[in-house]
Amino acid sequence: MKLTLRIWRQNGRADKGRMVSYQLDDVSPDMSFLEMLDVLNERLTLEGEEPVAFDHDCREGICGMCGMVINGVAHGPERATTTCQLHMRHFKDGDTIDIEPWRARAFPVVKDLVVDRSAFDSIIQAGGYVSAPTGSAPDAHATPVPKANADAAFEAAACIGCGACVAACPNGSGMLFTAAKITHLGLLPQGQPERSSRVVDMVAAHDDAGFGGCTNAGECTTVCPKGIPLTTIGRLNRDFLKASAKRSDNA
Amino acid sequence: MAVTGILLVLFLFAHMLGNLKIFVGQSSFDEYAHWLRALGTPILPETWFLWIQRFGLLAAVIGHIVAATVLAVRARRARPVRYAHRPKVQGSYAARTMRWGGVIIVLFVIYHILDLTTGHLNPIGDKSAPYGNVVADFAPDRWYVTAFYTLAILALGFHLRHGIYSALRTLGQQTADGERNARVIALGVAVVLCAGYLTVPFAVLTGLVT
Amino acid sequence: MTELFSVGDPIADTKAPDGPVETRWDRRRFSAKLVNPANKRKLSVIVVGTGLAGGSAAATLGELGYRVRSYCYQDSPRRAHSIAAQGGINAAKNYRNDGDSVHRLFYDTVKGGDFRSRESNVHRLAQVSVEIIDQCVAQGVPFAREYGGLLDTRSFGGAQVSRTFYARGQTGQQLLLGAYQALERQVAAGTVEMFTRHEMLELIVVDGRARGIVVRDMVTGEISTDLADAVVLASGGYGNVFFLSTNAKGCNVTATWRAHRKGALFANPCYTQIHPTCIPVSGDHQSKLTLMSESLRNDGRVWVPKKAGDDRAAADIPEDERDYYLERIYPAFGNLVPRDIASRAAKNVCDEGRGVGPGGLGVYLDFADAIGRLGRKAVEAKYGNLFEMYERITGEDPYEVPMRIYPAVHYTMGGLWVDYDLQATIPGLFVIGEANFSDHGANRLGASALMQGLADGYFVLPNTIGDYLAAGPFEKLTADHPDVARTRSDVEDRIAKLLAVDGDRTVDSFHRELGRIMWEYCGMERTDAGLRKAIDLIRGLRDEFWQRVRVPGDGEGLNQSLERAGRVADFFELAELMCIDALHRTESCGGHFRAESQTPEGEAERDDENFSYVAAWEFTGTGDAPVLHKEDLIFEYVHPTQRSYK
Ligand SMILES: Cc1cc2nc3c(=O)[nH]c(=O)nc-3n(C[C@H](O)[C@H](O)[C@H](O)COP(=O)(O)OP(=O)(O)OC[C@H]3O[C@@H](n4cnc5c(N)ncnc54)[C@H](O)[C@@H]3O)c2cc1C
Ligand code: HEM
Ligand code: HEM
Ligand code: SF4
Ligand code: F3S
Ligand code: FES
């Protein structure tokens, strides 16, 4: 099939950036979206133009490296799918496709479609872990975990840190990502001792990183490739309220 | 946000019940207006309670608007460069229109106070007889007033449907079942309030209340 | 053959303690020198890689108090390729009471490796496996659990005990996130400094010791040197030399190859694992292959039509015209035979013209029976996400039509040679995880790579590296030390050279072509003639690469073509060594199948008499004959037998 691509080109952080159009013939419906861009890049290289920079690694929907806003939707039109797992059979011959990077202050553009998501790492640094130094662990069966909790924790832990939630949120909020980690650790007995400080510190780190606040707009969960549910945000809020109450008690 | 919003919802319920007294009859409704002013009189001077309530309400509205503005400003700052391809609405329209909905409601309330509380914009404007004011307001030949009220109340309904659902999550609702319940509650409250408010103008319009 | 390589001195000592195998690790830990806690702060360690091996090592070394600097080429340590592992992680917990034990895991691993691994290492791995699960659970890794709240396990990849712990089909992800979170905790604590989007391009060796690395900041293009008391490489495997593999696109051999060029021996490069259950290639645009977890073979049945060239739809082929060839040839193990056997069997039936799907390169993996037996719901609960993934990629619904699968390059058992302490032949250079060659012999069992990565990173390296560092801190070095400065300018020159070619072919076109050569001649089945031909082709293509490659842009700033070009250049050199290694090993073992060495029934034939050794190669120059150093393998506990899965 033939496609018209309009792609955001931005040569480095200082550049202003613009949308540039490219024509692509011979796109096979079996290609993945990134393979389609590979084809474009091969051509650009031979024509002496700079290929389009985009992030990717595993190309199987798990590393969270890829991500672009396709026709206004983060990761494109397929639900619960990362950009690398999106296939061209979901587009039609003659389509025009707009491709843009994640847009958020906390995710500055590095080049073209590549953004810097280190703000997510800083949220995890603030408390997204269980303090369990190597070698200090009791036997794994010392603490049973109800299956329902373990399953729910797993579902929240499935977040791949791609940042689509931020890209889609009208407020540029990273609350779904943050809430997924809070939920994962909050549901497990191992996560209890640090539960209050974790939520307070992680939300503070989230706000400091320049993400917007959550007004429960609910767009994040619809683009999330792992279907992280909004209930995780409810959990974060509840933990946050409880922790705040506790803090003021102690103060 | 949630706390101020909930206060506003409580007011809306009380106000709706008051309004519905219109069906009981003119005297009941007018009495209610007087009763409002007399409330708490042995302890507080006349209309004090009303004023306290008004201040409380005003504080809630201002708090609410300030919080909404802060969030909006943060949101704007969090996305300095907009998308070239306008993002599709993936969530709900009610969620996307919260801010505009809020502004419409505020504009409405201003008009509404000038209309029915101070009487400036009311054809009768007799402060001691609100029943008459209301009936005059929604007279069939002033259909545009009714239309405006209807529009505003529908906007309110949308604002509330998402607002309440959202407030419940903000206050820590966190299970999948809870999520479903929250949706139902929010929709229920929004519909009840909308219906409650709308019956009055339409009752007048259709001549049920004269 | 002599012109292709020469034979040097054998490797005398692997530093493994002797005595009963069960006590060796304890004794080594006890004999290792300790570092005074106050000194740890003065000692710095560079860790390249943040996968299971590197992430867990950096976090643990940070906890111990060393000053750690950690590197990865992705934008976050959480994205290391370990994230993609699906199936699970082995551990000899025997929670099932089904007869598992440390000894059995040890035994299975040595046997699974086709008697080409070291007993001492493998036994340590089995011992440590138990602690790994405890550690991960304590970190909050959400392993699958049973209704009683205890951990669930499954049997995996041909094991007859149920020792594989898993987290749905995302075990690697959950384990890696555990290590990543531990790592970020140390970053916050200030013991680990993290450098993302930094690629190691050279190892710095001063006075015979590994003292640092040259890295390129992939965002600014800046080349800089980082100096430390020890360097740990945890840079993963090199399966991408085949271009198409199940590895992430960025997986590369650069870190280990550069160390090899600086003197570290490279062991068993030809041992490659081909995974039997991948989604077949759909066209020339294909950029990578996707693995379908092997656990699918627990319930799926593999078959092809009995008739060659049968192009009816699967559903139209009646039961008695189907050949469930694994069940037929290997009645005892059926669909659960080890990976190499399943892969080669698939290749054989496709070579007979009985393959299905585009190009006849595929076999069916059918769940109809399982759905009938367990119900769709149960199948969905077990494999739901894998089925979805399959449908997303192929557009076919595996609940309705059987999956099509084909083997693909998956894992590389070879890597930098290390001793029992995981130290390479360059003092101060440690290599862990898939990047080393250590524990899997000629073939890795399913769910054992995750185990090895975490064993190395959490438990082995942090204990053994102290023995080396106890002699430090070493002489202070600065960036203008002549050896340091020269290494750095070498890197700059090489980048300039790549950019200067300005030819007329893209990097990917070369990589694809190299991959085709490797798959054809150094893939599932290797022959003397084929390997010789491959070596010629590789050399020709490598020369062409340096004359015709086109790398657009410049070295300043993000340049993904340049990154790829550097990696492909290293793959060319590695590819040649792989073929030489495969050529010299005229036996079949594990992942290495030489057509000349098979039984009359077509099974792999090992030659213990002549090849019971680790082949460790010394670099002598690009295109020059490498030197082979042999490390003899001694089996005191598990006696070599010809594997039989019939
Ligand atoms: C699809 C798939 C499924 C698998 N499933 C299983 C399974 O179920 N069970 C199992 O046991 N094993 C499985 N494996 C194998 C296993 O995942 C890997 O062997 C293991 O995760 C390797 O871990 P590692 O830490 O050694 O390296 P990796 O996780 O590959 O990490 C490499 C790290 O090195 C960094 N790096 C590399 N080169 C450079 C450089 N030049 N400069 C800077 N940084 C660099 C990368 O950024 C990365 O952080 C699977 C493998 C694949 C491909
Ligand atoms: C300029 C005026 C207004 C703006 C910009 C505004 C904006 C908003 C926004 C953004 C929310 C969502 C907050 C969240 O989800 O956390 C909200 C919630 C809500 N609003 Fe408003 N609003 C306005 C006026 C009003 C008025 C006048 C009322 C009532 C009469 C009202 C009632 C509510 C209620 C009940 C909620 C739910 C509480 C909550 O979600 O936290 N709002 N409003
Ligand atoms: C059609 C439906 C409505 C009717 C008939 C109605 C009627 C009235 C009347 C009669 C008064 C004057 C009361 C008095 O001064 O004694 C009043 C006041 C007021 N109404 Fe309404 N109202 C309606 C809808 C609304 C809505 C939807 C809102 C808010 C969003 C609202 C907010 C207010 C406020 C804030 C006051 C002033 C209260 C005060 O003086 O303290 N009303 N209304
Ligand atoms: S919550 Fe979903 S969209 Fe957000 S980072 Fe995680 S996986 Fe991506
Ligand atoms: S879209 Fe944004 S506002 Fe909250 S619910 Fe999701 S983060
Ligand atoms: S490239 Fe890894 S998730 Fe898309």
Side-chain angles (χ1 to χ4, degrees), chain A residues 6 8 19 69-73 79 98 100-106 165-173 195 206-207 210-219 222-223 230-239 241, chain B residues 1-3 67-68 70-72 74-96 98-99 162-163 165-180 183:
Chain A
R6 299 199 308 150
W8 183 260
M19 297 295 274
V69 174
I70 300 165
N71 287 338
V73 181
R79 290 245 164 156
D98 286 351
E100 295 173 79
W102 290 169
R103 293 221 178 276
R105 180 162 69 113
C165 44
V166 177
C169 174
N171 300 320
S173 176
R195 189 163 164 187
H206 166 275
D207 293 355
F211 292 105
C214 173
T215 60
N216 296 309
E219 311 249 330
T222 62
V223 300
L230 290 177
T231 47
T232 58
I233 296 185
R235 229 164 233 293
L236 175 142
N237 288 330
R238 163 153 331 176
D239 280 7
L241 292 176
Chain B
M1 200 86 248
V3 173
V70 167
L71 278 167
R74 255 186 83 186
R76 199 156 264 276
R77 234 191 275 136
R79 177 159 300 134
V81 184
R82 325 244 109 210
Y83 287 108
H85 189 116
R86 217 165 158 256
K88 286 205 179 91
V89 174
Q90 300 270 307
S92 70
Y93 281 89
R96 269 286 178 94
M98 283 309 268
R99 288 179 189 135
H162 178 69
Y165 162 69
S166 152
L168 289 173
R169 184 169 326 110
T170 303
L171 297 174
Q173 169 326 96
Q174 54 178 355
T175 60
D177 283 349
E179 194 79 352
R180 214 168 311 122
R183 259 176 222 284

Side-chain angles (χ1 to χ4, degrees), chain C residues 180-474:
Chain C
Y180 156 73
Q181 287 163 202
L183 178 64
E184 293 297 352
R185 173 168 162 255
Q186 292 309 308
V187 171
T191 60
V192 177
E193 215 180 324
M194 187 67 229
F195 298 89
T196 59
R197 291 202 204 267
H198 276 70
E199 183 162 28
M200 165 185 168
L201 294 178
E202 199 52 271
L203 178 74
I204 297 173
V205 181
V206 179
D207 294 335
R209 288 179 193 275
R211 292 301 305 275
I213 58 176
V214 181
V215 288
R216 178 169 182 273
D217 179 331
M218 295 155 76
V219 174
T220 64
E222 193 196 344
I223 308 286
S224 58
T225 53
D226 187 9
L227 300 167
D229 294 297
V231 177
V232 178
L233 298 185
S235 50
Y238 51 81
N240 273 352
V241 65
F242 291 86
F243 187 72
L244 289 181
S245 84
T246 63
N247 289 7
K249 290 297 286 173
C251 288
N252 66 88
V253 76
T254 293
T256 47
W257 190 257
R258 293 280 128 192
H260 173 57
R261 291 178 57 107
K262 289 272 178 202
L265 301 185
F266 206 109
N268 299 337
C270 80
Y271 289 162
T272 330
Q273 180 167 82
I274 313 254
H275 197 291
T277 52
C278 301
I279 300 177
V281 176
S282 72
D284 289 337
H285 54 266
Q286 193 96 13
S287 61
K288 79 153 275 164
L289 294 171
T290 304
L291 173 79
M292 299 307 295
S293 171
E294 180 157 46
S295 61
L296 290 168
R297 284 201 279 146
N298 286 341
D299 287 301
R301 298 179 68 197
V302 178
W303 63 276
V304 288
K306 281 191 173 153
K307 247 188 3 252
D310 189 340
D311 53 7
R312 288 175 290 178
D316 299 336
I317 303 181
E319 208 46 47
D320 61 348
E321 291 179 42
R322 299 178 175 189
D323 179 12
Y324 294 89
Y325 59 90
L326 289 178
E327 297 168 25
R328 173 172 58 80
I329 311 175
Y330 306 100
F333 283 75
N335 294 299
L336 291 174
V337 291
R339 293 177 175 178
D340 51 331
I341 293 181
S343 295
R344 217 170 38 254
K347 176 178 158 56
N348 289 341
V349 294
C350 292
D351 287 350
E352 290 162 17
R354 298 195 286 145
V356 298
L361 291 178
V363 299
Y364 288 125
L365 180 62
D366 199 335
F367 285 86
D369 278 6
I371 293 171
R373 183 162 37 91
L374 307 166
R376 183 180 160 131
K377 264 230 145 57
V379 171
E380 203 172 315
K382 260 183 161 163
Y383 308 114
N385 61 335
L386 296 169
F387 277 36
E388 269 170 41
M389 181 155 108
Y390 181 84
E391 180 167 10
R392 209 168 289 141
I393 293 171
T394 61
E396 290 173 9
D397 177 5
Y399 293 104
E400 300 298 328
V401 289
M403 281 185 183
R404 285 177 295 109
I405 54 167
Y406 198 65
V409 173
H410 179 53
Y411 183 89
T412 48
M413 279 73 72
L416 288 184
W417 185 91
V418 289
D419 62 18
Y420 189 70
D421 284 355
L422 304 180
Q423 185 164 212
T425 46
I426 301 174
L429 178 67
F430 292 80
V431 191
I432 59 178
E434 192 174 341
N436 72 22
F437 89 106
S438 71
D439 295 353
H440 306 295
N443 185 31
R444 172 180 70 84
L445 289 182
S448 283
L450 302 182
M451 169 172 73
Q452 183 225 336
L454 289 179
D456 288 0
Y458 280 131
F459 297 106
V460 180
L461 176 85
N463 280 294
T464 59
I465 200 172
D467 188 65
Y468 175 79
L469 289 171
F474 302 104

Side-chain angles (χ1 to χ4, degrees), chain B residues 11-12 15 19 29 33 36-37 50 54 57 105 108-109 112-113 116-117 130 134 138 149 153 156 197 200-201:
Chain B
F11 164 76
L12 284 174
H15 188 45
N19 287 348
F29 191 71
L36 259 182
R37 285 166 175 75
L50 187 63
R54 281 176 180 167
L57 209 56
I105 298 165
F108 160 77
V109 170
H112 177 62
I113 290 178
L116 287 172
T117 309
V134 171
F138 302 125
Y149 264 73
I153 288 167
L156 180 71
Y197 278 111
V200 176

Side-chain angles (χ1 to χ4, degrees), chain A residues 35 42 54-55 57-60 63-64 89 111 117 121 125 128 132 134 139-141 145 161 181 184, chain C residues 60 63 74-76 79 93 95 134 140 149 151 180-181 184 197 249-250 287-288 392-393 506 558 560:
Chain A
E35 284 167 349
E42 290 284 287
F54 61 89
D55 262 334
D57 202 24
C58 71
R59 295 208 176 184
E60 49 186 77
C63 73
R89 65 180 77 93
K111 183 176 183 175
R117 285 169 289 200
D121 290 334
Q125 279 157 26
T134 310
D139 184 87
H141 270 179
V145 182
K181 192 47 54 191
H184 159 211
Chain C
T60 305
E63 280 165 17
Q74 294 93 343
D75 72 331
S76 165
R79 309 202 198 283
K93 278 284 197 186
Y95 281 155
D134 298 342
L151 295 167
Y180 156 73
Q181 287 163 202
E184 293 297 352
R197 291 202 204 267
K249 290 297 286 173
S287 61
K288 79 153 275 164
R392 209 168 289 141
I393 293 171
T506 63
L558 187 70
Q560 295 175 323

Side-chain angles (χ1 to χ4, degrees), chain A residues 20-250:
Chain A
V20 179
S21 288
Y22 302 95
Q23 296 291 331
L24 207 54
D25 311 332
D26 278 349
V27 175
S28 144
D30 283 332
M31 285 179 184
S32 72
F33 201 83
L34 300 187
E35 284 167 349
M36 183 271 294
L37 290 179
D38 287 344
V39 171
L40 173 69
N41 277 346
E42 290 284 287
R43 199 188 80 197
L44 292 181
T45 304
L46 293 177
E47 288 170 357
E49 263 188 80
E50 272 223 46
V52 180
F54 61 89
D55 262 334
H56 64 102
D57 202 24
C58 71
R59 295 208 176 184
E60 49 186 77
I62 191 73
C63 73
M65 190 99 174
C66 65
M68 35 194 102
V69 174
I70 300 165
N71 287 338
V73 181
H75 285 312
E78 276 290 290
R79 290 245 164 156
T81 304
T82 54
T83 304
C84 60
Q85 292 280 286
L86 175 65
H87 281 70
M88 296 314 293
R89 65 180 77 93
H90 300 294
F91 295 88
K92 288 192 306 294
D93 189 29
D95 275 0
T96 297
I97 306 176
D98 286 351
I99 309 174
E100 295 173 79
W102 290 169
R103 293 221 178 276
R105 180 162 69 113
F107 289 168
V109 171
V110 173
K111 183 176 183 175
D112 299 342
L113 303 171
V114 175
V115 300
D116 176 356
R117 285 169 289 200
S118 49
F120 271 1
D121 290 334
S122 56
I123 294 177
I124 299 296
Q125 279 157 26
Y129 48 74
V130 173
S131 298
T134 310
S136 60
D139 184 87
H141 270 179
T143 322
V145 182
K147 183 171 165 54
N149 287 0
D151 287 352
F154 171 84
E155 259 154 41
C159 162
I160 58 175
C162 62
C165 44
V166 177
C169 174
N171 300 320
S173 176
M175 207 49 87
L176 194 65
F177 167 82
T178 312
K181 192 47 54 191
I182 295 287
T183 302
H184 159 211
L185 297 175
L187 278 166
L188 296 173
Q190 290 81 5
Q192 298 313 311
E194 293 161 298
R195 189 163 164 187
S196 309
S197 59
R198 176 182 306 125
V199 68
V200 173
D201 295 344
M202 283 178 73
V203 169
H206 166 275
D207 293 355
D208 287 348
F211 292 105
C214 173
T215 60
N216 296 309
E219 311 249 330
C220 49
T221 190
T222 62
V223 300
C224 173
K226 298 296 149 183
I228 303 294
L230 290 177
T231 47
T232 58
I233 296 185
R235 229 164 233 293
L236 175 142
N237 288 330
R238 163 153 331 176
D239 280 7
F240 189 81
L241 292 176
K242 268 201 205 153
S244 312
K246 232 195 256 170
R247 287 233 158 154
S248 44
D249 280 357
N250 294 343

